[in-house]
Amino acid sequence: MANRRDSRIEPSFEGPPRAKSSAGFSVSEEDRVVPSNRNTSAKRQSARTKASRRGRGKSRRGLFGVLGRLAYWCFVLAIWGGIAAAGIVVYYGAKMPAATTWAIPDRAPNIRIVSVDGKLLANRGMSGGEAVGLHEMSTYIPQAVIAIEDRRFYSHLGIDPIGLSRAMVANVVGGRFSQGGSTLTQQLAKNLFLTPDRTLERKVQEVLLALWLEHKHTKDQILEMYLNRVYFGSGAYGVEAASRRYFGKSARDVTLPEAALLAGLLKAPSRLSPARDPKAAEQRSQLVLAAMRDEGKISAKELTTAMSAPASRVASYWTGSENYVADAIVEELPDLIGDVRGDIIVDATVDLTLQKLAEQSIRRLIDGSGKKLNASQGVLVSIDNSGAVRAMVGGYDYSTSQFDRASEARRQPGSAFKPFVYMAALEAGRTPDSVRNDAPIKIGKWTPTNYGGKYFGKVTLATALAKSLNSVAAQLTMEVGPDAVVEAAHRMGVQSDLTANTSIALGTSEVTPLELTSAYVPFANGGYRPDVHFIRRVTTAGGKVLYDNNGGAPRVIKPEIVGMMNSMMMGTVEIGTARKAAFAWPAAGKTGTSQNSRDAWFIGYTANLTTGVWFGNDDGGPMKKVTGGALPAQAWHEFMVAAHEGVPVRPLPGTWRSTPADTIVQDELPPNTAQPAPVPSASVSQSAPSAQKASPPRAVRPAETVDAGGFGMPGGGGTTASIKRPVPPADVGGPVKKRQTSILDILTGG
């Protein structure tokens, strides 16, 4: 125990402590063997290095672990995404009809309308243009479309993964939907089968249909179908319609700059249409040209030339007046052949040369005098003796207004309606030599007056019609009855509803220029009323005849009546109100002017053509003293002179001759009719009793130089009417029964 206590090391303040070994030796602190500080530091450094390496190893293993896990989960998600995508495809595909029932729908049929001289008038239908084969159209068109829309068209299988990926990246980077990845095949599938809705279902169906199209059809077939159906803006479906729409030419003749413009429209047809934004269309076409150069479709020289000579579009779309005819034909077709189910060719009756002459005449007169005379619209209709319409101008400019005033606008004909009054009188036993007293009359509350307030006393019916005397026309209507006048007009070809009252004598019931002109045709052809038509024949593209106009016309006037009417109406052109219309052919007709010159007419004819002309304003506003013997007669003269150039002269039908003046007796009046007192002088105007106090002195004016078609219109040169009243209402005078009123009743106001 004592030894154990002695072996402990006791602290000492006198020196370093010592220790005793188990053998009894004493060992100082300095003699102890201890590792040096350098070795300790090295060991510590080594330990730290090992720890660092272990940390880096763990870090590497952690990074690779994260990447590995990420790859793993991406793979898993890809698998599930693929499964989900397949499920979606199967789901939406199952909602579609069986693939065995899929078929390319028929292309919207085109209606090709051709004039009698074989020239194209217009294309109509959903597409607005005929189908053009890929080998027929300009080679620049498919090249331009492929270069800008689908560069890998001939290498992909209907879906372009590269183009789709590029579009997705561009859209993500741009933060908006700016590019589409659809191929031309997908676009065709959408146009053929699907709605434009942007839904997942439609996109899936589009892909499936694109794959089917690629399986069933060649690349050239797909491209041809696409170009003949795609929308190019401004109502043009198909490359042929677009070419004619923008350049006035066929797709067969399109140049490189024009093809680039067409291809550029496909991105945004409505917005980029040159009809709407020519600058934007041109900028887009330059991008197309650059794309064509990049793809090696054109050379650098061709690019430079095309850039320096951009496409020039036609000034205005469908500006030709022949389009009024085309519209009328399209409206008439269903009644002739039913639904149009395939491309057809319509042989029209219109002569394009005459059509252009008519259009030029109307436009020249309006351009020259329209502003001064406040006349903004004009119509010209020309019909041959068979009822075929040879020319029809429905307004000043089709491109600014497609409203066809020739067949749709109903206006008051004024004195142009009087021939039916005189015809009814002749059929009731009168002759052109029958005499009536041109004097102021009063019918009920209505007092019709002559133009300028002038009256001529005893006149023959021939003179009364040539000078368009209103009082005589009113007397004849009272004699034969308004019903007889209405019946005569309808029998001749007027189709509008006519009110059977006394004022119908002065043309107060409204008619269209087309029907009024057609109602004069029996005067020109000897008394027959043909069906007015625009179509001669309709055939399929393969030549099968669907319709053929065989003509035929019933007689509606006796030959002797035709002769008397032609004799009287020739006076209108020779000595009456339409002297400006006269030319080298025997011609007849009648002028007409409604109240305040709201409507001015001349309907005239030769043995070759019957032509009607109207001038006025769409809003019914008055023109400045324009009469039927002015602008209408001038336009008629210009057109008819050109239309008859080189045509052998023919006389009008009928052989009636006037009775010598000294043998004329007034025995054609109804029995027991009091003879009215004659007017003292043709150059002295007399007022109606109700207006005597208000009637100022009037200057003498030859009646044959003015149009007396109005209802007491103010005359020129200081001449004023004796009665200043508005157009009488439709029921003025009330219905009158035939032969129940005498001239005495008329003069006394009974």
Side-chain angles (χ1 to χ4, degrees), residues 324-349:
Y324 290 113
V325 178
D327 290 347
I329 286 174
V330 171
E331 186 174 347
E332 184 180 348
L333 268 177
D335 293 335
L336 302 180
I337 63 172
D339 294 335
V340 179
R341 300 186 180 277
D343 287 1
I344 60 173
I345 300 172
V346 177
D347 292 318
T349 61

PDB file of all heavy atoms in Angstrom, residues 324-349:
ATOM      1  N   TYR A 324     -73.623  42.991-112.597  1.00  0.00           N
ATOM      2  CA  TYR A 324     -75.062  43.074-112.339  1.00  0.00           C
ATOM      3  C   TYR A 324     -75.780  41.931-113.065  1.00  0.00           C
ATOM      4  O   TYR A 324     -76.705  41.320-112.530  1.00  0.00           O
ATOM      5  CB  TYR A 324     -75.617  44.415-112.822  1.00  0.00           C
ATOM      6  CG  TYR A 324     -75.190  45.614-112.013  1.00  0.00           C
ATOM      7  CD1 TYR A 324     -74.358  46.586-112.541  1.00  0.00           C
ATOM      8  CD2 TYR A 324     -75.641  45.781-110.703  1.00  0.00           C
ATOM      9  CE1 TYR A 324     -73.972  47.693-111.801  1.00  0.00           C
ATOM     10  CE2 TYR A 324     -75.263  46.888-109.950  1.00  0.00           C
ATOM     11  CZ  TYR A 324     -74.424  47.839-110.509  1.00  0.00           C
ATOM     12  OH  TYR A 324     -74.043  48.932-109.769  1.00  0.00           O
ATOM     13  N   VAL A 325     -75.331  41.650-114.275  1.00  0.00           N
ATOM     14  CA  VAL A 325     -75.906  40.546-115.048  1.00  0.00           C
ATOM     15  C   VAL A 325     -75.590  39.218-114.369  1.00  0.00           C
ATOM     16  O   VAL A 325     -76.455  38.343-114.245  1.00  0.00           O
ATOM     17  CB  VAL A 325     -75.364  40.559-116.482  1.00  0.00           C
ATOM     18  CG1 VAL A 325     -75.915  39.380-117.272  1.00  0.00           C
ATOM     19  CG2 VAL A 325     -75.708  41.872-117.174  1.00  0.00           C
ATOM     20  N   ALA A 326     -74.346  39.062-113.922  1.00  0.00           N
ATOM     21  CA  ALA A 326     -73.937  37.817-113.269  1.00  0.00           C
ATOM     22  C   ALA A 326     -74.778  37.548-112.026  1.00  0.00           C
ATOM     23  O   ALA A 326     -75.200  36.409-111.781  1.00  0.00           O
ATOM     24  CB  ALA A 326     -72.456  37.884-112.912  1.00  0.00           C
ATOM     25  N   ASP A 327     -75.031  38.579-111.241  1.00  0.00           N
ATOM     26  CA  ASP A 327     -75.849  38.406-110.042  1.00  0.00           C
ATOM     27  C   ASP A 327     -77.264  37.975-110.403  1.00  0.00           C
ATOM     28  O   ASP A 327     -77.865  37.123-109.737  1.00  0.00           O
ATOM     29  CB  ASP A 327     -75.887  39.708-109.238  1.00  0.00           C
ATOM     30  CG  ASP A 327     -74.557  40.022-108.581  1.00  0.00           C
ATOM     31  OD1 ASP A 327     -73.692  39.125-108.545  1.00  0.00           O
ATOM     32  OD2 ASP A 327     -74.371  41.158-108.111  1.00  0.00           O
ATOM     33  N   ALA A 328     -77.826  38.581-111.451  1.00  0.00           N
ATOM     34  CA  ALA A 328     -79.179  38.222-111.876  1.00  0.00           C
ATOM     35  C   ALA A 328     -79.225  36.770-112.354  1.00  0.00           C
ATOM     36  O   ALA A 328     -80.196  36.048-112.099  1.00  0.00           O
ATOM     37  CB  ALA A 328     -79.643  39.162-112.992  1.00  0.00           C
ATOM     38  N   ILE A 329     -78.175  36.335-113.020  1.00  0.00           N
ATOM     39  CA  ILE A 329     -78.121  34.959-113.514  1.00  0.00           C
ATOM     40  C   ILE A 329     -78.063  33.969-112.357  1.00  0.00           C
ATOM     41  O   ILE A 329     -78.771  32.950-112.351  1.00  0.00           O
ATOM     42  CB  ILE A 329     -76.910  34.786-114.447  1.00  0.00           C
ATOM     43  CG1 ILE A 329     -77.186  35.475-115.787  1.00  0.00           C
ATOM     44  CG2 ILE A 329     -76.581  33.307-114.658  1.00  0.00           C
ATOM     45  CD1 ILE A 329     -76.005  35.492-116.730  1.00  0.00           C
ATOM     46  N   VAL A 330     -77.223  34.245-111.367  1.00  0.00           N
ATOM     47  CA  VAL A 330     -77.101  33.345-110.219  1.00  0.00           C
ATOM     48  C   VAL A 330     -78.432  33.232-109.480  1.00  0.00           C
ATOM     49  O   VAL A 330     -78.811  32.156-109.008  1.00  0.00           O
ATOM     50  CB  VAL A 330     -75.993  33.843-109.273  1.00  0.00           C
ATOM     51  CG1 VAL A 330     -75.994  33.049-107.969  1.00  0.00           C
ATOM     52  CG2 VAL A 330     -74.631  33.724-109.940  1.00  0.00           C
ATOM     53  N   GLU A 331     -79.161  34.327-109.409  1.00  0.00           N
ATOM     54  CA  GLU A 331     -80.462  34.304-108.731  1.00  0.00           C
ATOM     55  C   GLU A 331     -81.490  33.500-109.529  1.00  0.00           C
ATOM     56  O   GLU A 331     -82.372  32.859-108.952  1.00  0.00           O
ATOM     57  CB  GLU A 331     -80.952  35.737-108.539  1.00  0.00           C
ATOM     58  CG  GLU A 331     -82.221  35.847-107.726  1.00  0.00           C
ATOM     59  CD  GLU A 331     -82.611  37.282-107.422  1.00  0.00           C
ATOM     60  OE1 GLU A 331     -81.777  38.193-107.631  1.00  0.00           O
ATOM     61  OE2 GLU A 331     -83.747  37.500-106.974  1.00  0.00           O
ATOM     62  N   GLU A 332     -81.364  33.494-110.838  1.00  0.00           N
ATOM     63  CA  GLU A 332     -82.331  32.815-111.695  1.00  0.00           C
ATOM     64  C   GLU A 332     -82.049  31.318-111.833  1.00  0.00           C
ATOM     65  O   GLU A 332     -82.958  30.525-112.079  1.00  0.00           O
ATOM     66  CB  GLU A 332     -82.314  33.469-113.082  1.00  0.00           C
ATOM     67  CG  GLU A 332     -83.331  32.929-114.065  1.00  0.00           C
ATOM     68  CD  GLU A 332     -83.242  33.621-115.418  1.00  0.00           C
ATOM     69  OE1 GLU A 332     -82.558  34.660-115.511  1.00  0.00           O
ATOM     70  OE2 GLU A 332     -83.851  33.118-116.374  1.00  0.00           O
ATOM     71  N   LEU A 333     -80.802  30.910-111.664  1.00  0.00           N
ATOM     72  CA  LEU A 333     -80.395  29.529-111.925  1.00  0.00           C
ATOM     73  C   LEU A 333     -81.197  28.463-111.170  1.00  0.00           C
ATOM     74  O   LEU A 333     -81.596  27.461-111.772  1.00  0.00           O
ATOM     75  CB  LEU A 333     -78.908  29.359-111.618  1.00  0.00           C
ATOM     76  CG  LEU A 333     -77.939  29.578-112.776  1.00  0.00           C
ATOM     77  CD1 LEU A 333     -76.515  29.440-112.297  1.00  0.00           C
ATOM     78  CD2 LEU A 333     -78.217  28.617-113.909  1.00  0.00           C
ATOM     79  N   PRO A 334     -81.410  28.615-109.845  1.00  0.00           N
ATOM     80  CA  PRO A 334     -82.123  27.545-109.133  1.00  0.00           C
ATOM     81  C   PRO A 334     -83.484  27.204-109.727  1.00  0.00           C
ATOM     82  O   PRO A 334     -83.902  26.044-109.688  1.00  0.00           O
ATOM     83  CB  PRO A 334     -82.252  28.113-107.708  1.00  0.00           C
ATOM     84  CG  PRO A 334     -81.107  29.063-107.584  1.00  0.00           C
ATOM     85  CD  PRO A 334     -80.972  29.681-108.934  1.00  0.00           C
ATOM     86  N   ASP A 335     -84.171  28.197-110.291  1.00  0.00           N
ATOM     87  CA  ASP A 335     -85.476  27.929-110.891  1.00  0.00           C
ATOM     88  C   ASP A 335     -85.354  27.142-112.193  1.00  0.00           C
ATOM     89  O   ASP A 335     -86.317  26.512-112.641  1.00  0.00           O
ATOM     90  CB  ASP A 335     -86.216  29.239-111.160  1.00  0.00           C
ATOM     91  CG  ASP A 335     -86.599  29.960-109.871  1.00  0.00           C
ATOM     92  OD1 ASP A 335     -86.738  29.272-108.842  1.00  0.00           O
ATOM     93  OD2 ASP A 335     -86.738  31.186-109.901  1.00  0.00           O
ATOM     94  N   LEU A 336     -84.179  27.175-112.797  1.00  0.00           N
ATOM     95  CA  LEU A 336     -83.990  26.503-114.081  1.00  0.00           C
ATOM     96  C   LEU A 336     -83.404  25.102-113.945  1.00  0.00           C
ATOM     97  O   LEU A 336     -83.805  24.182-114.650  1.00  0.00           O
ATOM     98  CB  LEU A 336     -83.077  27.344-114.988  1.00  0.00           C
ATOM     99  CG  LEU A 336     -83.548  28.767-115.301  1.00  0.00           C
ATOM    100  CD1 LEU A 336     -82.549  29.468-116.200  1.00  0.00           C
ATOM    101  CD2 LEU A 336     -84.921  28.750-115.953  1.00  0.00           C
ATOM    102  N   ILE A 337     -82.428  24.940-113.030  1.00  0.00           N
ATOM    103  CA  ILE A 337     -81.750  23.640-112.930  1.00  0.00           C
ATOM    104  C   ILE A 337     -81.731  23.085-111.508  1.00  0.00           C
ATOM    105  O   ILE A 337     -81.127  22.036-111.266  1.00  0.00           O
ATOM    106  CB  ILE A 337     -80.299  23.737-113.448  1.00  0.00           C
ATOM    107  CG1 ILE A 337     -79.472  24.706-112.566  1.00  0.00           C
ATOM    108  CG2 ILE A 337     -80.264  24.167-114.893  1.00  0.00           C
ATOM    109  CD1 ILE A 337     -77.995  24.694-112.890  1.00  0.00           C
ATOM    110  N   GLY A 338     -82.365  23.773-110.546  1.00  0.00           N
ATOM    111  CA  GLY A 338     -82.316  23.303-109.169  1.00  0.00           C
ATOM    112  C   GLY A 338     -81.001  23.668-108.510  1.00  0.00           C
ATOM    113  O   GLY A 338     -80.327  24.625-108.911  1.00  0.00           O
ATOM    114  N   ASP A 339     -80.610  22.882-107.497  1.00  0.00           N
ATOM    115  CA  ASP A 339     -79.370  23.152-106.782  1.00  0.00           C
ATOM    116  C   ASP A 339     -78.167  22.890-107.686  1.00  0.00           C
ATOM    117  O   ASP A 339     -78.122  21.905-108.422  1.00  0.00           O
ATOM    118  CB  ASP A 339     -79.253  22.280-105.532  1.00  0.00           C
ATOM    119  CG  ASP A 339     -80.312  22.634-104.495  1.00  0.00           C
ATOM    120  OD1 ASP A 339     -80.788  23.785-104.521  1.00  0.00           O
ATOM    121  OD2 ASP A 339     -80.639  21.765-103.664  1.00  0.00           O
ATOM    122  N   VAL A 340     -77.193  23.774-107.602  1.00  0.00           N
ATOM    123  CA  VAL A 340     -75.957  23.608-108.366  1.00  0.00           C
ATOM    124  C   VAL A 340     -75.035  22.681-107.575  1.00  0.00           C
ATOM    125  O   VAL A 340     -74.558  23.032-106.501  1.00  0.00           O
ATOM    126  CB  VAL A 340     -75.271  24.968-108.606  1.00  0.00           C
ATOM    127  CG1 VAL A 340     -73.970  24.773-109.375  1.00  0.00           C
ATOM    128  CG2 VAL A 340     -76.206  25.906-109.349  1.00  0.00           C
ATOM    129  N   ARG A 341     -74.761  21.496-108.106  1.00  0.00           N
ATOM    130  CA  ARG A 341     -73.991  20.484-107.374  1.00  0.00           C
ATOM    131  C   ARG A 341     -72.608  20.245-107.962  1.00  0.00           C
ATOM    132  O   ARG A 341     -71.844  19.428-107.447  1.00  0.00           O
ATOM    133  CB  ARG A 341     -74.772  19.166-107.332  1.00  0.00           C
ATOM    134  CG  ARG A 341     -76.121  19.287-106.637  1.00  0.00           C
ATOM    135  CD  ARG A 341     -76.792  17.944-106.474  1.00  0.00           C
ATOM    136  NE  ARG A 341     -78.082  18.065-105.805  1.00  0.00           N
ATOM    137  CZ  ARG A 341     -78.236  18.130-104.495  1.00  0.00           C
ATOM    138  NH1 ARG A 341     -77.178  18.073-103.710  1.00  0.00           N
ATOM    139  NH2 ARG A 341     -79.448  18.244-103.964  1.00  0.00           N
ATOM    140  N   GLY A 342     -72.289  20.904-109.025  1.00  0.00           N
ATOM    141  CA  GLY A 342     -70.976  20.759-109.631  1.00  0.00           C
ATOM    142  C   GLY A 342     -70.674  21.969-110.490  1.00  0.00           C
ATOM    143  O   GLY A 342     -71.543  22.810-110.741  1.00  0.00           O
ATOM    144  N   ASP A 343     -69.435  22.104-110.929  1.00  0.00           N
ATOM    145  CA  ASP A 343     -69.063  23.227-111.776  1.00  0.00           C
ATOM    146  C   ASP A 343     -69.921  23.232-113.039  1.00  0.00           C
ATOM    147  O   ASP A 343     -70.117  22.199-113.684  1.00  0.00           O
ATOM    148  CB  ASP A 343     -67.595  23.127-112.163  1.00  0.00           C
ATOM    149  CG  ASP A 343     -66.664  23.459-110.994  1.00  0.00           C
ATOM    150  OD1 ASP A 343     -67.185  23.742-109.898  1.00  0.00           O
ATOM    151  OD2 ASP A 343     -65.442  23.427-111.186  1.00  0.00           O
ATOM    152  N   ILE A 344     -70.442  24.419-113.371  1.00  0.00           N
ATOM    153  CA  ILE A 344     -71.273  24.551-114.561  1.00  0.00           C
ATOM    154  C   ILE A 344     -70.827  25.753-115.380  1.00  0.00           C
ATOM    155  O   ILE A 344     -70.131  26.648-114.885  1.00  0.00           O
ATOM    156  CB  ILE A 344     -72.773  24.691-114.218  1.00  0.00           C
ATOM    157  CG1 ILE A 344     -73.003  25.942-113.354  1.00  0.00           C
ATOM    158  CG2 ILE A 344     -73.291  23.457-113.521  1.00  0.00           C
ATOM    159  CD1 ILE A 344     -74.476  26.241-113.112  1.00  0.00           C
ATOM    160  N   ILE A 345     -71.242  25.750-116.635  1.00  0.00           N
ATOM    161  CA  ILE A 345     -70.962  26.866-117.543  1.00  0.00           C
ATOM    162  C   ILE A 345     -72.292  27.437-118.010  1.00  0.00           C
ATOM    163  O   ILE A 345     -73.147  26.707-118.517  1.00  0.00           O
ATOM    164  CB  ILE A 345     -70.129  26.402-118.747  1.00  0.00           C
ATOM    165  CG1 ILE A 345     -68.787  25.818-118.271  1.00  0.00           C
ATOM    166  CG2 ILE A 345     -69.898  27.556-119.716  1.00  0.00           C
ATOM    167  CD1 ILE A 345     -67.986  25.168-119.373  1.00  0.00           C
ATOM    168  N   VAL A 346     -72.471  28.739-117.812  1.00  0.00           N
ATOM    169  CA  VAL A 346     -73.700  29.421-118.220  1.00  0.00           C
ATOM    170  C   VAL A 346     -73.394  30.281-119.442  1.00  0.00           C
ATOM    171  O   VAL A 346     -72.566  31.191-119.380  1.00  0.00           O
ATOM    172  CB  VAL A 346     -74.253  30.298-117.083  1.00  0.00           C
ATOM    173  CG1 VAL A 346     -75.489  31.055-117.560  1.00  0.00           C
ATOM    174  CG2 VAL A 346     -74.570  29.464-115.857  1.00  0.00           C
ATOM    175  N   ASP A 347     -74.056  29.973-120.541  1.00  0.00           N
ATOM    176  CA  ASP A 347     -73.952  30.809-121.735  1.00  0.00           C
ATOM    177  C   ASP A 347     -74.999  31.907-121.617  1.00  0.00           C
ATOM    178  O   ASP A 347     -76.206  31.656-121.729  1.00  0.00           O
ATOM    179  CB  ASP A 347     -74.197  29.980-122.996  1.00  0.00           C
ATOM    180  CG  ASP A 347     -73.074  28.984-123.239  1.00  0.00           C
ATOM    181  OD1 ASP A 347     -71.914  29.358-123.070  1.00  0.00           O
ATOM    182  OD2 ASP A 347     -73.374  27.827-123.573  1.00  0.00           O
ATOM    183  N   ALA A 348     -74.528  33.122-121.367  1.00  0.00           N
ATOM    184  CA  ALA A 348     -75.429  34.248-121.136  1.00  0.00           C
ATOM    185  C   ALA A 348     -75.842  34.901-122.454  1.00  0.00           C
ATOM    186  O   ALA A 348     -75.221  34.693-123.504  1.00  0.00           O
ATOM    187  CB  ALA A 348     -74.756  35.276-120.238  1.00  0.00           C
ATOM    188  N   THR A 349     -76.884  35.695-122.389  1.00  0.00           N
ATOM    189  CA  THR A 349     -77.366  36.407-123.573  1.00  0.00           C
ATOM    190  C   THR A 349     -76.633  37.722-123.792  1.00  0.00           C
ATOM    191  O   THR A 349     -76.735  38.320-124.863  1.00  0.00           O
ATOM    192  CB  THR A 349     -78.862  36.721-123.419  1.00  0.00           C
ATOM    193  OG1 THR A 349     -79.041  37.563-122.264  1.00  0.00           O
ATOM    194  CG2 THR A 349     -79.674  35.450-123.236  1.00  0.00           C
TER     195      THR A 349
END
